Amino acid sequence: MLNVEILGGVGEYGRNCFFIENNGHAILLDCGVMNNRQKTPPKLTQAHVTKLDAVFISHSHTDHVGAIPLLERWGYRGPIIMSKMTAQQLKQSFQHTGIFQPESIGEWIVVSKCLAFQWGYSGHLIGSVWYKIRFFEEVIFYSGDYVVDSYLLKATLPIEDGTVYDLAIMDSGHVEKRINNIEVLQQMTEYINANPGCPIIFPSSFSGKTADIATYLFQHTTRAIRVDHALLSLFDNYYEAPENLLPTKTILQEFKLECLTKKTESENFIYFVPERNEAKLMELLHKKPTAMVIFTGYWNKGKYRIQFSENQHKEFFYKTHPDYDDIIALSKKIHAHKTIYFHSSLTNRETTILQLLQNEEEIT
């Protein structure tokens, strides 16, 4: 019988961390902190850590890995399981990292007599994965952060073999929206092409969204593109992990040759700069006062000291989590006795697919 403790990530956006106990053994799914100034940790205790057999990490974003140092501080010596690319992206290494290789996709990987798992690509970030976990007789599905329609990245699901999951923990990050990412990319392109003399600035993060947008615009506009050096390692990851990419995205090699190596200046560049580096953004706006800043996610107007005027910024929401329709479709494909929806303040531990369907008229 599974005992689930939600240590973060349900009813909130961040610090994803799920403790699951079974027959005196326990596992942890992700171990993140909140994306706030305080970096609020999950409700993890040394008592939890003492029971752990294994920790499963879905990807390298701070809200999924930022509290891993707590594990070592409290004496955890078991495996911290993650993809090869996720391990490469982490800012620090951990002594007992259990890395699985790309060629093991779809295989059962044995951790112990009571624990084994399969994995597949989740489409959120290069190296991000979902897990199908066999824990004694129970089977668990953990989506990690999941994107159905990335422009570049594969998103798969477990092979349908009749499994009825005892528990599914599923990303519901954009439950209040209906978004088609390709349509959003097309809308951005139309806007940029309609304003040929206007420099464009994208405040960006180390994310699949950044790579999707940059490469799509490279392919569909005539603009020169510049990527800040702080984001360049993201693109290097893409060249190193072709197995994680959709097969048609050969545009990446051209992107590397043409965009990242050219040094000539242009008046109407498209710039990708770190969203947390306000100084860099201010410097660029000082140099390019006619530039348009494009925000592509939830934008908190109080996040920056800069006061953007209406004619200085524009918003195009690009999906980095499942939206309402995605969540319904995923829930129907992953047959589970119990589903816990995470990564949104609009869902909680008791939310069910029936409740989501009843609330459909409220979804924009």
Side-chain angles (χ1 to χ4, degrees), residues 104-257:
S104 68
I105 189 170
E107 299 177 1
W108 279 106
I109 300 172
V110 176
V111 180
S112 68
K113 290 181 179 180
C114 66
L115 186 63
F117 70 96
Q118 294 179 330
W119 66 274
Y121 295 114
S122 68
H124 177 75
L125 174 67
I126 192 82
S128 68
V129 300
W130 51 259
Y131 291 104
K132 177 179 179 178
I133 300 169
R134 189 171 62 228
F135 193 17
F136 287 97
E137 300 303 317
E138 281 74 27
V139 185
I140 302 161
F141 176 74
Y142 179 48
S143 71
D145 287 1
Y146 196 94
V147 181
V148 172
D149 53 353
S150 167
Y151 182 61
L152 295 175
L153 296 174
K154 290 178 182 175
T156 64
L157 284 173
I159 295 172
E160 294 190 22
D161 57 4
T163 297
V164 177
Y165 295 86
D166 296 276
L167 173 68
I169 301 179
M170 197 171 296
D171 185 2
S172 63
H174 298 329
V175 66
E176 81 286 6
K177 295 184 178 294
R178 281 188 164 115
I179 303 286
N180 182 305
N181 274 349
I182 294 299
E183 290 180 1
V184 175
L185 290 171
Q186 292 169 345
Q187 291 163 7
M188 287 184 199
T189 303
E190 290 171 4
Y191 175 80
I192 289 170
N193 288 339
N195 294 274
C198 178
I200 303 293
I201 303 173
F202 284 92
S204 304
S205 62
F206 190 93
S207 66
K209 174 172 68 173
T210 296
D212 281 3
I213 295 171
T215 51
Y216 186 90
L217 294 179
F218 170 72
Q219 195 172 17
H220 293 88
T221 76
T222 59
R223 299 282 193 100
I225 294 177
R226 289 293 171 269
V227 178
D228 189 86
H229 72 277
L231 298 170
L232 289 182
S233 61
L234 170 65
F235 293 90
D236 289 338
N237 289 170
Y238 278 70
Y239 307 126
E240 295 168 15
E243 66 281 345
N244 199 163
L245 306 180
L246 293 168
T248 57
K249 303 313 176 190
T250 55
I251 191 65
L252 273 167
Q253 289 301 324
E254 296 177 40
F255 182 86
K256 183 176 185 178
L257 291 171

Side-chain angles (χ1 to χ4, degrees), residues 297-314:
Y298 297 111
W299 180 48
N300 179 358
K301 293 183 179 181
K303 183 176 182 178
Y304 296 105
R305 294 191 303 272
I306 306 169
Q307 296 299 311
F308 296 101
S309 62
E310 288 299 318
N311 61 356
Q312 196 179 24
H313 80 276
K314 197 166 180 62

Side-chain angles (χ1 to χ4, degrees), residues 20-33:
I20 303 174
E21 192 171 3
N22 195 4
N23 290 323
H25 295 258
I27 61 175
L28 199 68
L29 306 180
D30 281 333
C31 192
V33 298

Side-chain angles (χ1 to χ4, degrees), residues 15 34 63 80 142 171-172 212 256 291 314 330 347 351:
R15 64 170 187 171
M34 195 70 80
D63 59 334
I80 303 174
Y142 179 48
D171 185 2
S172 63
D212 281 3
K256 183 176 185 178
K314 197 166 180 62
L330 289 169
T347 56
T351 300

Side-chain angles (χ1 to χ4, degrees), residues 9 12-14 16 61 63 123-124 143-150 170-181 184 205 207-209 296-299 316-330 341-347 356 359-360 362-364:
E12 60 188 5
Y13 195 92
N16 303 283
H61 284 157
D63 59 334
H124 177 75
S143 71
D145 287 1
Y146 196 94
V147 181
V148 172
D149 53 353
S150 167
M170 197 171 296
D171 185 2
S172 63
H174 298 329
V175 66
E176 81 286 6
K177 295 184 178 294
R178 281 188 164 115
I179 303 286
N180 182 305
N181 274 349
V184 175
S205 62
S207 66
K209 174 172 68 173
T296 57
Y298 297 111
W299 180 48
F316 294 93
F317 196 97
Y318 191 82
K319 184 170 58 184
T320 57
H321 300 278
D323 66 5
Y324 174 79
D325 292 324
D326 299 334
I327 293 163
I328 298 301
L330 289 169
Y341 297 98
F342 74 97
H343 230 324
S344 172
S345 60
L346 301 177
T347 56
L356 293 177
N359 294 335
E360 181 171 2
E362 299 176 11
I363 307 300
T364 56

